[in-house]
C-alpha cells in the first residue's frame, strides 16, 4: 500500500492465523506490517517517529490491514487483530483512514495494545481504549508477561483478549512466571477474557499453551504470516469466534473517589487520628501485594504525611507497579520515587483523603472528607472492597496522571 506524503512506505500487510486449540479451527488473523521493499518493520516505525508522524503511520498500517481483509472477504465471525500504538488511537483518524473505518464496520476488529510500559502514560492508555471501544472494536493486551508490573492496569483496561508473551510458552516456568499466570487467570476468570498463547512453534509448545489455560493459539506451528485466502472461494467451517458482546466499560460519573461512593450507604464518622491508622493499615496491605499493585493516594496536607504512613508510601513507591500521590499542597515535601500530580486548591479533590489499591488479587478504596462535630475536627469515611467501585475510583484518578 502506498503511503501518503511524509509517511514511511510503501507497505504490505501479511496475516497470521489464530486457532482454537481445542480443534485447531481458525478463529481469526493477526495483521502484520512489512516494508514493501524489504527490511524490518522496526525500521519503518523508527522512521515514522523520526519524522513525527507515528500516529499517522499507525493509522496507515491499520487501513492496509482492514482493506486487505475486505478484499479477501474475511467473514465477520473471524476476528481481525490489528496492532496499535495507544497514542495513535488517542488521536483522531486522518482523512485517508475515514473510508477504511466504513469498511471496518462489518469486520470483527480487535485492537492489540502492547503490555510493555503501560504505566508510562496510563491516562493516554485509558483514553485510547475508550476511543477504540467507541468505534465498536474489541481490545487485546499483547505480550502479557513481559512486565509483571502492568498486571495492575490490566484490570482497568478490561480487555476482551489477553495474549501471553511467547516466552511463557517456550521456556520452563519460574516462581515469577507461575505467580504471573495465577494473576492472569484470576483476572480473566472475572472478566471472561479469551487467553491467546503466542509463539507456538511445535507440538510441545501447543501442549504447554493448553497447560497455561490458553483457549487460542498463534505461531508458525499453525501457519506463517502470508496473504489471506479468498474466503468466497474456499470452503470453511464456521466458528463462533469472539461470541457475545464486547466488554463495555462505563465512565465514572463523579469527580472524586469519595463522590463515587455517594448513595452507597452512610459514611462513618471518626477522628483524624483513627483515619490515619486506617490509612496505614491499608498501605500495609498494599505493600503485601508487591509489584502487581497500583496505589493512588490523595494527600490534602503533605506536611502531615509523616511517620508510619510516609515510610509505607516510600516503600510502596519502590515495590508497587505504580504509586501516585495527588496534592494541592507543597509537592516538595512528598519527593520520592513515587509520582506526584498537582491539583487545584479549589478543586473538591484537594480536600479529600483517599487511598485506592488495585491488584489482581486485592482491591480496596478508603475515601474520606473532613468535617466538624461539636466544634471538634473529624472525618467521614467509607471503606469499600467492591471491585467495580474500586476500579472506578482508580480510573477517575488515573485520568489525571500526565505522561511520564
Amino acid at each position: 500500500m502506498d503511503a501518503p506524503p511524509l509517511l514511511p512506505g510503501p507497505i504490505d500487510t501479511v496475516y497470521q492465523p489464530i486457532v482454537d486449540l481445542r480443534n485447531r479451527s481458525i478463529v481469526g488473523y493477526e495483521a502484520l506490517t512489512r516494508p514493501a521493499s524489504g527490511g524490518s518493520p522496526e525500521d519503518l516505525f523508527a522512521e515514522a517517529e523520526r519524522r513525527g508522524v507515528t500516529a499517522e503511520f499507525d493509522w496507515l498500517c491499520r487501513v492496509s490491514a482492514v482493506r486487505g481483509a475486505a478484499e479477501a472477504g474475511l467473514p465477520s465471525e473471524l476476528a481481525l487483530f490489528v496492532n496499535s500504538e495507544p497514542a495513535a488511537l488517542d488521536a483522531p483518524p486522518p482523512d485517508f483512514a475515514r473510508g477504511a473505518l466504513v469498511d471496518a464496520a462489518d469486520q470483527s476488529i480487535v485492537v492489540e495494545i502492547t503490555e510493555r510500559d503501560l504505566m508510562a502514560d496510563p491516562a493516554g492508555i485509558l483514553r485510547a481504549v475508550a476511543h477504540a471501544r467507541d468505534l465498536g472494536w474489541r481490545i487485546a493486551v499483547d505480550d502479557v508477561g513481559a512486565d509483571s508490573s502492568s498486571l495492575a492496569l490490566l484490570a482497568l483496561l478490561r480487555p476482551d483478549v489477553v495474549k501471553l508473551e511467547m516466552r511463557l510458552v517456550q521456556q520452563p516456568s519460574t516462581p515469577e512466571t507461575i505467580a504471573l499466570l495465577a494473576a492472569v487467570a484470576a483476572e480473566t476468570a472475572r472478566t471472561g477474557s479469551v487467553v491467546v498463547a503466542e509463539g507456538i512453534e511445535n507440538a510441545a509448545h501447543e501442549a504447554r499453551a493448553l497447560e497455561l489455560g490458553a483457549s487460542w493459539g498463534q505461531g508458525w506451528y499453525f501457519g506463517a504470516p502470508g496473504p489471506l485466502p479468498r474466503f468466497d472461494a474456499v470452503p470453511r467451517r464456521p466458528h463462533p469466534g469472539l461470541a457475545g458482546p464486547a466488554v463495555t466499560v462505563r465512565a465514572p460519573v463523579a469527580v472524586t473517589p469519595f463522590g463515587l461512593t455517594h448513595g452507597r450507604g452512610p459514611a462513618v464518622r471518626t477522628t483524624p487520628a483513627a483515619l490515619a491508622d486506617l490509612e496505614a493499615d491499608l498501605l500495609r496491605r498494599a505493600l503485601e501485594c508487591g509489584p502487581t499493585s497500583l496505589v493512588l493516594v490523595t494527600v490534602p496536607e503533605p506536611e502531615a504525611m509523616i511517620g508510619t504512613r510516609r515510610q509505607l508510601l516510600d516503600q510502596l513507591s519502590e515495590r508497587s507497579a505504580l504509586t501516585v500521590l495527588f496534592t494541592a499542597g507543597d509537592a516538595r515535601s512528598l519527593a520520592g520515587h513515587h509520582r506526584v500530580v498537582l491539583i487545584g486548591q479549589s478543586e473538591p479533590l484537594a480536600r479529600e483523603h483517599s487511598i485506592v489499591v488495585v491488584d489482581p488479587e486485592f482491591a480496596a478504596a478508603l475515601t474520606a472528607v473532613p468535617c466538624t462535630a461539636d466544634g471538634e475536627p473529624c472525618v467521614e469515611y467509607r471503606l469499600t472492597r467492591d471491585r467495580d467501585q474500586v476500579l472506578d475510583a482508580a480510573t477517575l484518578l488515573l485520568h489525571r496522571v500526565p505522561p511520564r
Side-chain angles (χ1 to χ4, degrees):
M1 178 177 179
D2 291 333
L6 300 180
L7 296 185
I11 62 171
D12 291 330
T13 301
V14 293
Y15 302 82
Q16 186 172 36
I18 299 173
V19 305
D20 188 323
L21 292 175
R22 295 167 296 184
N23 54 26
R24 295 192 182 174
S25 61
I26 293 177
V27 295
Y29 291 84
E30 180 180 353
L32 302 166
T33 298
R34 298 289 186 264
S37 58
S40 72
E42 291 77 15
D43 290 341
L44 281 176
F45 283 94
E47 180 62 18
E49 183 176 3
R50 188 187 70 80
R51 298 184 187 185
V53 290
T54 298
E56 292 83 353
F57 183 66
D58 197 80
W59 273 104
L60 178 71
C61 296
R62 286 202 300 280
V63 167
S64 178
V66 167
R67 286 181 176 167
E71 290 169 1
L74 183 72
S76 60
E77 66 263 25
L78 296 184
L80 176 63
F81 286 73
V82 296
N83 293 277
S84 179
E85 290 291 327
L89 279 176
D90 197 22
D95 290 340
F96 68 79
R98 299 187 186 280
L101 291 176
V102 177
D103 295 337
D106 295 328
Q107 296 176 354
S108 298
I109 304 291
V110 182
V111 177
E112 293 192 24
I113 296 175
T114 183
E115 190 245 16
R116 288 184 177 87
D117 208 20
L118 290 179
M119 293 301 180
D121 185 12
I125 292 283
L126 291 172
R127 288 194 305 270
V129 167
H131 291 168
R133 294 196 191 281
D134 287 343
L135 290 170
W137 298 347
R138 298 175 190 266
I139 300 298
V141 177
D142 194 16
D143 288 336
V144 171
D147 180 2
S148 62
S149 69
S150 296
L151 281 172
L153 201 54
L154 197 66
L156 294 159
L157 297 180
R158 283 98 149 177
D160 303 274
V161 178
V162 172
K163 300 187 77 174
L164 302 178
E165 193 207 14
M166 64 175 61
R167 71 180 175 90
L168 297 174
V169 169
Q170 298 180 354
Q171 299 178 10
S173 295
T174 66
E176 291 76 15
T177 59
I178 291 172
L180 182 147
L181 287 166
V184 171
E187 195 58 48
T188 55
R190 275 191 291 266
T191 62
S193 305
V194 175
V195 178
V196 180
E198 297 185 288
I200 299 176
E201 298 181 357
N202 53 47
H205 291 165
E206 181 183 34
R208 169 78 173 148
L210 288 166
E211 291 173 0
L212 296 178
S215 301
W216 295 359
Q218 181 179 356
W220 285 65
Y221 191 53
F222 307 118
L228 282 173
R230 291 290 310 182
F231 290 93
D232 55 1
V234 297
R236 58 184 175 82
R237 180 173 52 182
H239 189 284
L242 289 168
V247 173
T248 57
V249 180
R250 53 186 173 77
V253 294
V255 296
T256 72
F258 189 82
L260 284 171
T261 64
H262 181 72
R264 304 295 180 98
V268 179
R269 183 170 293 178
T270 191
T271 64
L275 178 68
D277 289 340
L278 288 171
E279 290 176 335
D281 182 69
L282 182 52
L283 291 173
R284 290 190 190 95
R285 182 66 181 85
L287 195 59
E288 294 173 3
C289 295
T292 59
S293 62
L294 174 71
V295 183
L296 309 171
V297 182
T298 60
V299 186
E301 301 165 347
E303 63 277 5
M305 189 60 72
I306 57 176
T308 300
R309 287 178 296 166
R310 180 54 193 264
Q311 293 173 3
L312 289 167
L313 280 173
D314 289 341
Q315 294 175 45
L316 276 167
S317 66
E318 298 195 5
R319 183 169 171 79
S320 67
L322 178 67
T323 299
V324 185
L325 309 185
F326 302 81
T327 187
D330 185 357
R332 291 173 296 180
S333 63
L334 294 174
H337 292 287
H338 39 252
R339 296 169 70 174
V340 178
V341 176
L342 294 177
I343 54 181
Q345 293 186 351
S346 61
E347 294 187 57
L349 188 62
R351 62 189 294 269
E352 185 170 305
H353 297 259
S354 62
I355 297 177
V356 181
V357 181
V358 177
D359 181 80
E361 303 294 341
F362 177 77
L366 173 65
T367 63
V369 293
C371 61
T372 57
D374 300 325
E376 294 295 325
C378 60
V379 292
E380 292 185 338
Y381 78 90
R382 294 187 179 93
L383 176 62
T384 180
R385 293 193 178 181
D386 181 286
R387 194 168 184 85
D388 288 336
Q389 288 186 43
V390 175
L391 293 179
D392 280 349
T395 299
L396 188 153
L397 290 174
L398 281 175
H399 273 295
R400 303 184 64 121
V401 179
R404 185 167 56 203

